[in-house]
Short mmCIF file of all heavy atoms in Angstrom, two decimals:
data_model
loop_
_atom_site.label_atom_id
_atom_site.label_comp_id
_atom_site.label_asym_id
_atom_site.label_seq_id
_atom_site.Cartn_x
_atom_site.Cartn_y
_atom_site.Cartn_z
N HIS S 1 30.35 -121.89 -34.26
CA HIS S 1 30.75 -122.66 -35.44
C HIS S 1 29.99 -122.22 -36.68
O HIS S 1 30.58 -122.04 -37.76
CB HIS S 1 30.53 -124.15 -35.18
CG HIS S 1 31.00 -125.03 -36.31
ND1 HIS S 1 32.33 -125.29 -36.54
CD2 HIS S 1 30.31 -125.68 -37.29
CE1 HIS S 1 32.44 -126.07 -37.61
NE2 HIS S 1 31.24 -126.32 -38.07
N LYS S 2 28.69 -122.02 -36.51
CA LYS S 2 27.87 -121.61 -37.65
C LYS S 2 28.25 -120.21 -38.14
O LYS S 2 28.37 -119.97 -39.34
CB LYS S 2 26.38 -121.63 -37.27
CG LYS S 2 25.82 -123.04 -37.10
CD LYS S 2 24.35 -122.97 -36.70
CE LYS S 2 23.77 -124.37 -36.50
NZ LYS S 2 22.35 -124.33 -36.05
N ARG S 3 28.44 -119.29 -37.19
CA ARG S 3 28.66 -117.90 -37.58
C ARG S 3 30.09 -117.62 -37.99
O ARG S 3 30.35 -116.95 -39.00
CB ARG S 3 28.25 -116.97 -36.42
CG ARG S 3 28.50 -115.49 -36.70
CD ARG S 3 27.87 -114.63 -35.63
NE ARG S 3 26.43 -114.75 -35.65
CZ ARG S 3 25.63 -114.38 -34.65
NH1 ARG S 3 26.15 -113.90 -33.55
NH2 ARG S 3 24.32 -114.50 -34.75
N TYR S 4 31.06 -118.11 -37.23
CA TYR S 4 32.45 -117.73 -37.45
C TYR S 4 33.26 -118.73 -38.27
O TYR S 4 34.26 -118.37 -38.87
CB TYR S 4 33.15 -117.47 -36.11
CG TYR S 4 32.63 -116.24 -35.41
CD1 TYR S 4 31.58 -116.32 -34.49
CD2 TYR S 4 33.17 -114.99 -35.68
CE1 TYR S 4 31.10 -115.19 -33.86
CE2 TYR S 4 32.70 -113.85 -35.05
CZ TYR S 4 31.66 -113.96 -34.14
OH TYR S 4 31.17 -112.83 -33.50
N ILE S 5 32.83 -119.99 -38.28
CA ILE S 5 33.54 -120.99 -39.08
C ILE S 5 32.86 -121.18 -40.43
O ILE S 5 33.50 -121.13 -41.48
CB ILE S 5 33.61 -122.35 -38.35
CG1 ILE S 5 34.22 -122.17 -36.96
CG2 ILE S 5 34.42 -123.36 -39.17
CD1 ILE S 5 35.62 -121.63 -36.95
N LEU S 6 31.54 -121.37 -40.39
CA LEU S 6 30.80 -121.60 -41.63
C LEU S 6 30.31 -120.31 -42.27
O LEU S 6 29.92 -120.31 -43.44
CB LEU S 6 29.60 -122.53 -41.35
CG LEU S 6 29.95 -123.91 -40.78
CD1 LEU S 6 28.67 -124.71 -40.55
CD2 LEU S 6 30.90 -124.65 -41.71
N GLY S 7 30.29 -119.21 -41.51
CA GLY S 7 29.84 -117.93 -42.05
C GLY S 7 28.35 -117.88 -42.29
O GLY S 7 27.88 -117.18 -43.20
N LEU S 8 27.58 -118.61 -41.48
CA LEU S 8 26.13 -118.68 -41.66
C LEU S 8 25.42 -117.78 -40.66
O LEU S 8 25.84 -117.64 -39.52
CB LEU S 8 25.65 -120.12 -41.48
CG LEU S 8 26.24 -121.16 -42.42
CD1 LEU S 8 25.72 -122.55 -42.05
CD2 LEU S 8 25.90 -120.84 -43.87
N GLU S 9 24.32 -117.17 -41.10
CA GLU S 9 23.44 -116.40 -40.23
C GLU S 9 22.06 -117.07 -40.25
O GLU S 9 21.74 -117.82 -41.18
CB GLU S 9 23.31 -114.96 -40.72
CG GLU S 9 24.61 -114.16 -40.61
CD GLU S 9 25.05 -113.91 -39.18
OE1 GLU S 9 24.19 -113.99 -38.28
OE2 GLU S 9 26.24 -113.65 -38.96
N PRO S 10 21.23 -116.85 -39.21
CA PRO S 10 19.90 -117.46 -39.20
C PRO S 10 19.10 -117.12 -40.46
O PRO S 10 19.12 -115.98 -40.92
CB PRO S 10 19.24 -116.84 -37.95
CG PRO S 10 20.38 -116.43 -37.09
CD PRO S 10 21.47 -116.02 -38.03
N LEU S 11 18.43 -118.13 -41.01
CA LEU S 11 17.60 -117.89 -42.19
C LEU S 11 16.38 -117.06 -41.86
O LEU S 11 15.88 -116.28 -42.66
CB LEU S 11 17.18 -119.24 -42.80
CG LEU S 11 18.30 -120.07 -43.42
CD1 LEU S 11 17.74 -121.41 -43.90
CD2 LEU S 11 18.97 -119.33 -44.57
N VAL S 12 15.85 -117.27 -40.65
CA VAL S 12 14.67 -116.55 -40.21
C VAL S 12 15.04 -115.69 -39.01
O VAL S 12 15.49 -116.20 -37.98
CB VAL S 12 13.52 -117.52 -39.82
CG1 VAL S 12 12.31 -116.73 -39.34
CG2 VAL S 12 13.17 -118.40 -41.00
N LEU S 13 14.89 -114.37 -39.15
CA LEU S 13 15.22 -113.47 -38.06
C LEU S 13 14.10 -113.49 -37.02
O LEU S 13 12.92 -113.59 -37.36
CB LEU S 13 15.39 -112.04 -38.59
CG LEU S 13 16.54 -111.85 -39.58
CD1 LEU S 13 16.50 -110.43 -40.14
CD2 LEU S 13 17.87 -112.13 -38.94
N THR S 14 14.47 -113.39 -35.78
CA THR S 14 13.48 -113.33 -34.70
C THR S 14 13.74 -112.10 -33.87
O THR S 14 14.86 -111.57 -33.82
CB THR S 14 13.58 -114.57 -33.79
OG1 THR S 14 14.86 -114.55 -33.14
CG2 THR S 14 13.43 -115.85 -34.58
N GLN S 15 12.71 -111.62 -33.19
CA GLN S 15 12.87 -110.43 -32.37
C GLN S 15 13.90 -110.66 -31.27
O GLN S 15 14.71 -109.80 -30.96
CB GLN S 15 11.53 -110.02 -31.74
CG GLN S 15 11.62 -108.72 -30.95
CD GLN S 15 10.26 -108.19 -30.57
OE1 GLN S 15 9.24 -108.77 -30.92
NE2 GLN S 15 10.23 -107.08 -29.86
N ALA S 16 13.90 -111.85 -30.68
CA ALA S 16 14.82 -112.15 -29.60
C ALA S 16 16.25 -112.24 -30.10
O ALA S 16 17.20 -111.87 -29.42
CB ALA S 16 14.43 -113.45 -28.91
N GLY S 17 16.42 -112.73 -31.33
CA GLY S 17 17.76 -112.98 -31.83
C GLY S 17 18.35 -111.86 -32.65
O GLY S 17 19.52 -111.89 -33.01
N TYR S 18 17.53 -110.86 -32.99
CA TYR S 18 18.03 -109.81 -33.87
C TYR S 18 18.66 -108.68 -33.07
O TYR S 18 18.15 -108.28 -32.04
CB TYR S 18 16.92 -109.27 -34.77
CG TYR S 18 17.46 -108.50 -35.93
CD1 TYR S 18 18.28 -109.11 -36.86
CD2 TYR S 18 17.19 -107.15 -36.07
CE1 TYR S 18 18.80 -108.40 -37.93
CE2 TYR S 18 17.71 -106.43 -37.14
CZ TYR S 18 18.51 -107.07 -38.06
OH TYR S 18 19.03 -106.37 -39.11
N TRP S 19 19.75 -108.17 -33.55
CA TRP S 19 20.56 -107.22 -32.78
C TRP S 19 20.21 -105.78 -33.13
O TRP S 19 21.05 -105.03 -33.60
CB TRP S 19 22.03 -107.47 -33.05
CG TRP S 19 22.50 -108.82 -32.62
CD1 TRP S 19 21.84 -109.72 -31.84
CD2 TRP S 19 23.75 -109.43 -32.95
NE1 TRP S 19 22.59 -110.86 -31.65
CE2 TRP S 19 23.77 -110.70 -32.32
CE3 TRP S 19 24.84 -109.03 -33.69
CZ2 TRP S 19 24.84 -111.57 -32.43
CZ3 TRP S 19 25.91 -109.90 -33.79
CH2 TRP S 19 25.90 -111.14 -33.16
N HIS S 20 18.95 -105.35 -32.89
CA HIS S 20 18.64 -103.95 -33.16
C HIS S 20 19.42 -103.02 -32.22
O HIS S 20 19.76 -101.91 -32.58
CB HIS S 20 17.14 -103.67 -33.08
CG HIS S 20 16.46 -104.14 -31.85
ND1 HIS S 20 16.04 -105.43 -31.68
CD2 HIS S 20 16.13 -103.49 -30.71
CE1 HIS S 20 15.47 -105.57 -30.49
NE2 HIS S 20 15.53 -104.41 -29.88
N ASP S 21 19.72 -103.52 -31.00
CA ASP S 21 20.55 -102.73 -30.09
C ASP S 21 21.98 -102.61 -30.62
O ASP S 21 22.63 -101.58 -30.44
CB ASP S 21 20.56 -103.36 -28.70
CG ASP S 21 19.23 -103.17 -27.98
OD1 ASP S 21 18.63 -102.08 -28.13
OD2 ASP S 21 18.79 -104.09 -27.29
N LEU S 22 22.45 -103.67 -31.26
CA LEU S 22 23.79 -103.63 -31.84
C LEU S 22 23.86 -102.61 -32.97
O LEU S 22 24.84 -101.88 -33.11
CB LEU S 22 24.19 -105.01 -32.34
CG LEU S 22 25.57 -105.12 -33.01
CD1 LEU S 22 26.66 -104.74 -32.03
CD2 LEU S 22 25.79 -106.52 -33.56
N LEU S 23 22.80 -102.53 -33.78
CA LEU S 23 22.76 -101.55 -34.86
C LEU S 23 22.85 -100.14 -34.30
O LEU S 23 23.61 -99.30 -34.81
CB LEU S 23 21.48 -101.71 -35.68
CG LEU S 23 21.35 -103.00 -36.49
CD1 LEU S 23 19.95 -103.09 -37.10
CD2 LEU S 23 22.40 -103.06 -37.58
N TRP S 24 22.09 -99.87 -33.24
CA TRP S 24 22.13 -98.55 -32.61
C TRP S 24 23.52 -98.28 -32.06
O TRP S 24 24.08 -97.20 -32.24
CB TRP S 24 21.10 -98.49 -31.48
CG TRP S 24 20.84 -97.10 -30.96
CD1 TRP S 24 19.84 -96.25 -31.33
CD2 TRP S 24 21.60 -96.40 -29.95
NE1 TRP S 24 19.94 -95.07 -30.63
CE2 TRP S 24 21.01 -95.13 -29.77
CE3 TRP S 24 22.72 -96.73 -29.20
CZ2 TRP S 24 21.50 -94.20 -28.86
CZ3 TRP S 24 23.22 -95.79 -28.29
CH2 TRP S 24 22.60 -94.54 -28.12
N GLY S 25 24.11 -99.28 -31.42
CA GLY S 25 25.43 -99.12 -30.85
C GLY S 25 26.49 -98.85 -31.89
O GLY S 25 27.44 -98.08 -31.66
N THR S 26 26.35 -99.46 -33.07
CA THR S 26 27.30 -99.24 -34.15
C THR S 26 27.23 -97.80 -34.66
O THR S 26 28.24 -97.15 -34.90
CB THR S 26 27.03 -100.22 -35.31
OG1 THR S 26 27.16 -101.56 -34.83
CG2 THR S 26 28.00 -99.99 -36.46
N VAL S 27 26.01 -97.30 -34.78
CA VAL S 27 25.81 -95.91 -35.21
C VAL S 27 26.39 -94.96 -34.16
O VAL S 27 27.06 -93.97 -34.49
CB VAL S 27 24.32 -95.62 -35.46
CG1 VAL S 27 24.09 -94.13 -35.73
CG2 VAL S 27 23.80 -96.45 -36.63
N TRP S 28 26.16 -95.26 -32.89
CA TRP S 28 26.67 -94.41 -31.81
C TRP S 28 28.20 -94.42 -31.78
O TRP S 28 28.83 -93.38 -31.60
CB TRP S 28 26.10 -94.87 -30.47
CG TRP S 28 26.57 -94.01 -29.32
CD1 TRP S 28 27.44 -94.35 -28.34
CD2 TRP S 28 26.20 -92.64 -29.08
NE1 TRP S 28 27.64 -93.29 -27.48
CE2 TRP S 28 26.89 -92.23 -27.92
CE3 TRP S 28 25.37 -91.75 -29.72
CZ2 TRP S 28 26.76 -90.95 -27.38
CZ3 TRP S 28 25.25 -90.46 -29.20
CH2 TRP S 28 25.92 -90.07 -28.04
N ALA S 29 28.79 -95.57 -31.98
CA ALA S 29 30.26 -95.66 -31.99
C ALA S 29 30.85 -94.82 -33.11
O ALA S 29 31.88 -94.17 -32.94
CB ALA S 29 30.69 -97.12 -32.13
N SER S 30 30.19 -94.82 -34.27
CA SER S 30 30.66 -94.00 -35.39
C SER S 30 30.56 -92.52 -35.06
O SER S 30 31.44 -91.73 -35.42
CB SER S 30 29.83 -94.30 -36.65
OG SER S 30 30.02 -95.63 -37.08
N PHE S 31 29.48 -92.14 -34.36
CA PHE S 31 29.33 -90.75 -33.94
C PHE S 31 30.48 -90.32 -33.03
O PHE S 31 31.09 -89.26 -33.23
CB PHE S 31 28.00 -90.54 -33.21
CG PHE S 31 28.01 -89.33 -32.32
CD1 PHE S 31 27.91 -88.06 -32.87
CD2 PHE S 31 28.17 -89.46 -30.94
CE1 PHE S 31 27.97 -86.93 -32.05
CE2 PHE S 31 28.22 -88.34 -30.12
CZ PHE S 31 28.13 -87.07 -30.68
N VAL S 32 30.78 -91.15 -32.02
CA VAL S 32 31.85 -90.80 -31.08
C VAL S 32 33.20 -90.70 -31.79
O VAL S 32 34.00 -89.80 -31.52
CB VAL S 32 31.92 -91.82 -29.92
CG1 VAL S 32 33.10 -91.52 -29.01
CG2 VAL S 32 30.61 -91.80 -29.12
N GLU S 33 33.43 -91.60 -32.73
CA GLU S 33 34.67 -91.54 -33.51
C GLU S 33 34.79 -90.22 -34.26
O GLU S 33 35.84 -89.57 -34.25
CB GLU S 33 34.74 -92.71 -34.49
CG GLU S 33 36.00 -92.72 -35.34
CD GLU S 33 36.03 -93.83 -36.37
OE1 GLU S 33 35.04 -94.57 -36.47
OE2 GLU S 33 37.05 -93.95 -37.07
N ARG S 34 33.71 -89.80 -34.90
CA ARG S 34 33.73 -88.53 -35.64
C ARG S 34 33.93 -87.35 -34.69
O ARG S 34 34.64 -86.38 -35.00
CB ARG S 34 32.46 -88.35 -36.46
CG ARG S 34 32.38 -89.21 -37.71
CD ARG S 34 31.21 -88.83 -38.59
NE ARG S 34 29.94 -89.09 -37.94
CZ ARG S 34 29.26 -90.24 -38.03
NH1 ARG S 34 29.76 -91.24 -38.75
NH2 ARG S 34 28.10 -90.40 -37.41
N PHE S 35 33.31 -87.43 -33.52
CA PHE S 35 33.46 -86.37 -32.52
C PHE S 35 34.92 -86.15 -32.19
O PHE S 35 35.42 -85.01 -32.18
CB PHE S 35 32.68 -86.74 -31.25
CG PHE S 35 32.85 -85.78 -30.11
CD1 PHE S 35 32.05 -84.65 -30.00
CD2 PHE S 35 33.81 -86.01 -29.13
CE1 PHE S 35 32.21 -83.76 -28.95
CE2 PHE S 35 33.98 -85.13 -28.07
CZ PHE S 35 33.17 -84.00 -27.98
N TYR S 36 35.64 -87.25 -31.94
CA TYR S 36 37.05 -87.13 -31.58
C TYR S 36 37.96 -86.89 -32.79
O TYR S 36 39.14 -86.61 -32.63
CB TYR S 36 37.50 -88.34 -30.77
CG TYR S 36 37.10 -88.17 -29.32
CD1 TYR S 36 36.00 -88.82 -28.79
CD2 TYR S 36 37.81 -87.31 -28.49
CE1 TYR S 36 35.61 -88.63 -27.47
CE2 TYR S 36 37.44 -87.12 -27.17
CZ TYR S 36 36.35 -87.77 -26.66
OH TYR S 36 35.97 -87.56 -25.35
N ASN S 37 37.40 -86.96 -33.97
CA ASN S 37 38.12 -86.57 -35.18
C ASN S 37 37.81 -85.13 -35.57
O ASN S 37 38.07 -84.71 -36.69
CB ASN S 37 37.78 -87.51 -36.34
CG ASN S 37 38.47 -88.85 -36.22
OD1 ASN S 37 39.52 -88.97 -35.59
ND2 ASN S 37 37.90 -89.87 -36.82
N GLN S 38 37.22 -84.38 -34.62
CA GLN S 38 36.99 -82.93 -34.77
C GLN S 38 35.93 -82.59 -35.82
O GLN S 38 35.94 -81.49 -36.38
CB GLN S 38 38.30 -82.20 -35.11
CG GLN S 38 39.45 -82.46 -34.16
CD GLN S 38 39.38 -81.64 -32.89
OE1 GLN S 38 38.61 -80.69 -32.80
NE2 GLN S 38 40.20 -81.99 -31.89
N VAL S 39 35.00 -83.52 -36.09
CA VAL S 39 33.91 -83.21 -37.01
C VAL S 39 32.93 -82.26 -36.31
O VAL S 39 32.62 -82.44 -35.14
CB VAL S 39 33.19 -84.49 -37.46
CG1 VAL S 39 31.98 -84.18 -38.33
CG2 VAL S 39 34.17 -85.39 -38.22
N SER S 40 32.46 -81.25 -37.02
CA SER S 40 31.57 -80.26 -36.42
C SER S 40 30.27 -80.90 -35.96
O SER S 40 29.85 -81.94 -36.47
CB SER S 40 31.27 -79.15 -37.42
OG SER S 40 30.42 -79.62 -38.45
N GLU S 41 29.61 -80.25 -35.02
CA GLU S 41 28.36 -80.78 -34.49
C GLU S 41 27.30 -80.92 -35.58
O GLU S 41 26.62 -81.94 -35.68
CB GLU S 41 27.83 -79.89 -33.37
CG GLU S 41 26.53 -80.40 -32.76
CD GLU S 41 26.08 -79.57 -31.57
OE1 GLU S 41 26.76 -78.59 -31.22
OE2 GLU S 41 25.03 -79.91 -30.99
N LYS S 42 27.18 -79.91 -36.42
CA LYS S 42 26.18 -79.94 -37.48
C LYS S 42 26.43 -81.09 -38.45
O LYS S 42 25.51 -81.85 -38.79
CB LYS S 42 26.18 -78.61 -38.25
CG LYS S 42 25.15 -78.54 -39.36
CD LYS S 42 25.18 -77.17 -40.05
CE LYS S 42 24.15 -77.10 -41.17
NZ LYS S 42 24.20 -75.78 -41.87
N GLU S 43 27.67 -81.23 -38.86
CA GLU S 43 28.02 -82.29 -39.82
C GLU S 43 27.87 -83.67 -39.19
O GLU S 43 27.37 -84.61 -39.82
CB GLU S 43 29.45 -82.09 -40.31
CG GLU S 43 29.88 -83.08 -41.38
CD GLU S 43 31.30 -82.84 -41.86
OE1 GLU S 43 31.87 -81.77 -41.52
OE2 GLU S 43 31.85 -83.72 -42.55
N ASN S 44 28.30 -83.79 -37.94
CA ASN S 44 28.24 -85.08 -37.26
C ASN S 44 26.79 -85.48 -36.97
O ASN S 44 26.42 -86.65 -37.09
CB ASN S 44 29.03 -85.03 -35.95
CG ASN S 44 29.43 -86.41 -35.44
OD1 ASN S 44 29.04 -87.42 -35.99
ND2 ASN S 44 30.20 -86.42 -34.37
N ARG S 45 25.98 -84.51 -36.61
CA ARG S 45 24.55 -84.79 -36.34
C ARG S 45 23.89 -85.32 -37.60
O ARG S 45 23.11 -86.28 -37.57
CB ARG S 45 23.86 -83.52 -35.86
CG ARG S 45 22.54 -83.75 -35.13
CD ARG S 45 22.01 -82.42 -34.61
NE ARG S 45 21.00 -82.61 -33.61
CZ ARG S 45 19.71 -82.79 -33.83
NH1 ARG S 45 19.29 -82.84 -35.09
NH2 ARG S 45 18.84 -82.95 -32.85
N ALA S 46 24.19 -84.68 -38.73
CA ALA S 46 23.58 -85.10 -40.00
C ALA S 46 24.08 -86.50 -40.40
O ALA S 46 23.29 -87.35 -40.84
CB ALA S 46 23.93 -84.09 -41.09
N ALA S 47 25.38 -86.75 -40.23
CA ALA S 47 25.94 -88.06 -40.60
C ALA S 47 25.35 -89.16 -39.72
O ALA S 47 25.03 -90.25 -40.20
CB ALA S 47 27.46 -88.03 -40.45
#
């Protein structure tokens, strides 16, 4: 309700509640997308 209805996020971030793994996963997903879009290894690595 807080996140999806009210659009609220925690005011104070905590190590347990913060999605650093999600951040990594988002970057990885973007890499895989570029890979299948035929982006070169050098360009994709840099991005």
